[in-house]
Amino acid sequence: MKLANVQQPIRLGAMTLPNRIIMGSMHVGLEKLPNGVERLADFYAERASGGAGLIVTGGAAVLPEGGMGEVYCNVFLDEHIEQLRIITEKVHQQKGKIALQLFHAGRYAYKEVTGLDPVAPSPLQAPINRTQPRELDEAGIERTIAAFASGAVRAQKAGFDAVEIMGSEGYLINQFLSPVTNQRQDEWGGDFGRRTRFGVEVAKRVREAVGRDFPVLFRMSGLDLIPDSTTIEETLQFARMLEEAGVDALNIGIGWHESKVPTISMMVPRGAYVWVAQQVKEAVHIPVIASNRINDIRHAEEILQAGRCDLVSLARPFLADPQIVAKSVQGRFDEVNTCIACNQACLDHIFDGKVASCLVNPMVGREVEWALAQATVRKKVAVVGAGPAGLEAARVLAERGHEVVLFEKQERIGGQLNYARQVPGKAEFNETLRYYQTQLVKLGVEVRLGTEASADELVREGFAEVVIATGVVPRRPEIAGQEMPHVVMYNEVFEHKVKVASKVVIVGAGGIACDLSHLLVHDEVISPEAAEYLLAYRILDAKALHKLQTGKRKVFMLRRGKHVGTGLGKTTRWATLAYLKQNGVEMLTEIEYKRIAEEGVYITRNGEEQVIPADTVIIAAGATPNDALYHALAGRIPVHLIGGAKEAGELDAKRAILEGAQVGRAI
């Protein structure tokens, strides 16, 4: 596929971008590590070398009370200029262009990290913050507007090629615009015109401060996804006002952090919000940038070709593969390590106060120290198990020059990724398997499918070292009645070895059980194309269609403990559980198992015994390491244990791939 539209240059102010792909803003937290700014600079430089047309940094606070703490990037003091210059110099060495995002969190700022009270247009506490904000007075508003302008000047002096004003995702400027968070009755709130004043003034003041030619982007909220917030008509009017204020491009953000609507997780269809950017594009004459769940440059090409926007912003896809643009331009689409929108190592890490990385690319944040070096001694290495841990180990070992043989007892690679990819909304795991399949062929890894390696064979064949990535064995808890014919293990369901009836009880309520429940209640009796036709001609309404699409199974999840979905990511767990509840899955916690009988599972709950009816009982109560081969080889060959074979738990592809990457560099 030719990428004619992607590769077309575009001007923003006096700056010409070489292509239409922007790396969108992300907080990655590298600043808090030793030599943090240098590491952040290396991170951005790697993405610049990979062909990003423009990189937008994570937000740099324009005032201390609106930031994320001292360890993060800030731009409210002159002494910050030289710190930031480290970033621009490294990016420019790679011939890249980079914009600093001017940031103020408003009521989303945490007093625990800033040491200061958060501020907002009105003293309304955010549901994701424990601190009520202080209402900005007139002097505070003027000070904040001036801070955006002076921050832009500092960015200019630090060598940035542009600035982006953060006015989306429920941060301060967005809070002034929305009637939900701005309940003032002075010149800065009330009707729509007064609610727009703060954002427009920031845009005007930044433009005046940096001059006409210096590019100013504005990230505005296309949809708040908050009840009773800004309407689409008001959004389009605000876009026109920003154009008049002198901004050079509008970057369209979707949703607030407190919204109950998933916007960037794997369950969100690709490009689901491009239509919002298209509406803005039709309302203004300046370039408009589309974002959210676009993870393939070919998709970006289609969007641009259709004239739906002028540029496309990809954020997390640049974590998964910093070379995504360069590979795609060269037609090497199958070699792209595609972002699967799992959030597990990026957003989940950030919201837990950790440094961001990437499930499919743990090299993120380790760009310099993990740069692959050729092995000084070429060895013949066996990797046993072609799940995520073994696949990454084999890939890294082969790339470093080792002779690698990959053993897999199943007839296909992937291990338990083959379970995950069956779950509705998790088809992106297919991309990970495609990437590894391509890499194994490209790097000359010998793959032996349908082969269960034994210790004697590995010794006899003369392998110098062995990596054991044999995964896990499903665990059977001690519950009477497990031998009955209607009791099955979770792996048997995923492997289509058993039929599942209409009344189901799942013993366990962790991540595996949630995936199983999702799979079992989903019943796509009507294709998406047919659904569109039926809705268009009003043969069915949305409610009737949903009823048809909902599976006929009744599913219960049982757990001795208190919480359901442990092992699911912080940023996706709520949406998964909401979906399951919406589809009738019942979750019973703090129970005691008594026995399994023909009619169902007997439990004790709140001191009372009851039976949960079941035609099929599925055991999904965790796993134990499959490490027998490791022990059989110990003392005979140098052997390494990784992934589930080392530590059984939930299906933890993040840890598995990380450990595969580590052992691949260690041998």
Side-chain angles (χ1 to χ4, degrees):
M1 179 182 186
K2 291 184 178 179
L3 302 175
N5 292 278
V6 162
Q7 295 185 76
Q8 186 178 355
I10 186 171
R11 285 181 67 83
L12 298 180
M15 173 179 65
T16 300
L17 301 183
N19 62 57
R20 303 296 181 100
I21 303 298
I22 288 178
M23 174 179 154
S25 174
M26 292 175 284
H27 288 293
V28 290
L30 292 173
E31 304 96 313
K32 23 184 191 182
L33 299 176
N35 302 317
V37 177
E38 288 85 352
R39 295 170 78 103
L40 190 62
D42 291 330
F43 167 80
Y44 288 130
E46 177 74 10
R47 275 77 197 160
S49 74
L54 175 68
I55 293 168
V56 181
T57 69
V62 298
L63 284 171
E65 65 268 23
M68 299 175 69
E70 290 182 11
V71 294
Y72 286 87
C73 282
N74 296 299
V75 70
F76 52 79
L77 297 174
D78 288 344
E79 64 193 54
H80 295 144
I81 295 171
E82 291 309 311
Q83 297 170 18
L84 293 169
R85 196 187 305 279
I86 297 169
I87 295 171
T88 59
E89 287 179 349
K90 284 204 174 180
V91 169
H92 292 155
Q93 285 168 12
Q94 297 298 328
K95 311 300 181 188
K97 297 184 185 297
I98 186 164
L100 184 75
Q101 188 182 77
L102 304 172
F103 175 85
H104 195 302
R107 72 177 193 158
Y108 281 173
Y110 292 113
K111 185 174 184 178
E112 297 90 335
V113 294
T114 65
L116 302 166
D117 289 327
V119 297
S122 298
L124 303 171
Q125 187 172 339
I128 59 173
N129 199 338
R130 286 177 286 187
T131 306
Q132 181 177 344
R134 173 173 54 83
E135 180 173 300
L136 279 168
D137 59 17
E138 184 83 29
I141 290 174
E142 172 54 37
R143 172 175 171 266
T144 305
I145 294 171
F148 273 97
S150 57
V153 171
R154 291 188 187 100
Q156 233 178 346
K157 290 179 179 178
F160 285 92
D161 302 288
V163 292
E164 178 177 84
I165 299 167
M166 178 39 128
S168 183
E169 268 75 19
Y171 292 120
L172 183 66
I173 294 175
N174 212 170
Q175 292 162 24
F176 266 94
L177 184 63
S178 172
V180 174
T181 44
N182 184 348
Q183 297 182 3
R184 306 171 72 101
Q185 293 301 320
D186 60 4
E187 304 114 49
W188 301 97
D191 60 26
F192 172 72
R194 287 179 288 172
R195 295 198 311 273
T196 65
R197 185 182 172 195
F198 183 80
V200 171
E201 281 297 316
V202 168
K204 284 181 178 177
R205 204 78 66 87
V206 168
R207 167 54 68 210
E208 291 169 4
V210 297
R212 179 61 258 175
D213 291 337
F214 190 74
V216 176
L217 292 74
F218 194 105
R219 184 166 175 87
M220 63 172 288
S221 180
L223 285 175
D224 293 347
L225 300 178
I226 296 292
D228 305 316
S229 196
T230 312
T231 66
I232 190 66
E233 292 78 15
E234 290 172 335
T235 296
L236 299 180
Q237 190 175 339
F238 185 53
R240 288 187 284 265
M241 296 167 78
L242 292 172
E243 179 180 19
E244 291 173 12
V247 304
D248 295 296
L250 295 172
N251 191 357
I252 310 304
I254 303 293
W256 288 20
H257 290 311
E258 64 197 76
S259 170
K260 298 300 183 186
V261 180
T263 57
I264 58 173
S265 63
M266 196 186 300
M267 68 175 63
V268 179
R270 292 186 184 186
Y273 292 102
V274 173
W275 63 272
V276 184
Q278 182 174 355
Q279 290 207 21
V280 177
K281 177 175 168 56
E282 291 168 359
V284 298
H285 302 93
I286 53 177
V288 171
I289 305 161
S291 65
N292 284 65
R293 283 294 283 123
I294 304 165
N295 62 353
D296 190 314
I297 302 299
R298 290 168 292 189
H299 187 196
E301 173 68 20
E302 292 168 0
I303 294 166
L304 292 165
Q305 187 175 20
R308 303 180 72 187
C309 61
D310 302 285
L311 301 104
V312 174
S313 174
L314 288 70
R316 295 169 301 163
F318 277 99
L319 296 180
D321 196 330
Q323 302 294 314
I324 182 172
V325 176
K327 288 179 181 178
S328 299
V329 166
Q330 294 163 14
R332 296 158 53 207
F333 300 109
D334 282 348
E335 293 182 38
V336 172
N337 195 2
T338 303
C339 168
I340 60 173
C342 66
N343 293 355
Q344 290 180 39
C346 51
L347 289 177
D348 285 349
H349 276 206
I350 290 299
F351 281 107
D352 277 339
K354 302 174 184 174
V355 174
S357 186
C358 177
L359 181 146
V360 300
N361 179 25
M363 193 171 173
V364 170
R366 305 174 174 98
E367 281 74 17
V368 174
E369 58 265 47
W370 270 28
L372 284 183
Q374 286 296 295
T376 53
V377 178
R378 188 171 188 264
K379 297 179 179 179
K380 184 178 180 182
V381 183
V383 178
V384 185
L391 289 169
E392 178 66 4
R395 183 194 73 80
V396 175
L397 286 164
E399 193 163 343
R400 292 185 55 232
H402 291 299
E403 179 188 351
V404 182
V405 180
L406 178 61
F407 294 84
E408 172 52 54
K409 69 177 181 179
Q410 302 294 336
E411 294 296 335
R412 59 184 175 186
I413 67 169
Q416 296 201 65
L417 291 182
N418 287 310
Y419 299 169
R421 69 191 183 94
Q422 298 177 49
V423 178
K426 289 194 172 184
E428 292 287 9
F429 279 109
N430 287 309
E431 299 289 356
T432 303
L433 292 177
R434 179 265 311 150
Y435 167 74
Y436 278 119
Q437 183 64 60
T438 302
Q439 292 298 310
L440 296 177
V441 173
K442 177 189 173 189
L443 297 169
V445 174
E446 181 185 344
V447 181
R448 300 183 189 176
L449 297 176
T451 304
E452 187 164 3
S454 71
D456 288 343
E457 288 172 29
L458 293 170
V459 172
R460 196 163 44 244
E461 199 165 335
F463 287 101
E465 301 196 36
V466 178
V467 176
I468 303 297
T470 42
V472 300
V473 177
R475 185 177 72 86
R476 281 188 175 272
E478 293 183 8
I479 305 174
Q482 288 190 57
E483 72 286 348
M484 301 188 76
H486 66 307
V487 180
V488 301
M489 302 301 292
Y490 73 84
N491 58 308
E492 295 177 295
V493 179
F494 280 118
E495 293 166 18
H496 308 285
K497 293 179 178 177
V498 295
K499 287 188 176 181
V500 179
S502 58
K503 290 184 290 185
V504 180
V505 168
I506 300 176
V507 174
I512 296 170
C514 288
D515 275 355
L516 261 178
S517 297
H518 197 160
L519 182 65
L520 293 174
V521 299
H522 181 82
D523 188 9
E524 193 176 275
V525 295
I526 299 174
S527 69
E529 294 79 11
E532 186 177 347
Y533 158 78
L534 293 168
L535 288 171
Y537 284 93
R538 299 181 182 178
I539 298 167
L540 293 174
D541 60 17
K543 187 175 180 180
L545 180 65
H546 176 75
K547 187 176 179 181
L548 271 175
Q549 296 287 56
T550 301
K552 301 298 184 286
R553 290 190 181 94
K554 178 60 184 176
V555 177
F556 285 86
M557 288 196 293
L558 309 181
R559 173 156 257 185
R560 287 191 176 104
K562 207 182 253 193
H563 302 291
V564 174
T566 52
L568 297 176
K570 187 172 185 176
T571 60
T572 53
R573 178 177 175 270
W574 64 271
T576 298
L577 297 185
Y579 175 87
L580 295 178
K581 289 174 183 175
Q582 181 184 343
N583 285 275
V585 176
E586 292 195 40
M587 308 166 193
L588 304 182
T589 60
E590 298 183 278
I591 61 102
E592 287 297 326
Y593 297 104
K594 303 303 288 184
R595 68 189 186 281
I596 300 172
E598 188 175 338
E599 62 272 19
V601 179
Y602 283 83
I603 65 170
T604 302
R605 192 177 189 222
N606 299 325
E608 295 183 7
E609 185 174 296
Q610 62 184 104
V611 61
I612 311 299
D615 301 317
T616 301
V617 177
I618 304 172
I619 307 296
T624 57
N626 183 14
D627 58 1
L629 183 58
Y630 172 79
H631 294 295
L633 281 169
R636 302 175 71 183
I637 303 178
V639 61
H640 309 265
L641 191 62
I642 62 173
K646 179 181 178 182
E647 180 185 341
E650 295 289 348
L651 301 183
D652 193 350
K654 178 179 69 172
R655 179 175 61 83
I657 292 175
L658 173 64
E659 290 179 0
Q662 289 170 327
V663 78
R665 287 166 168 81
I667 293 174

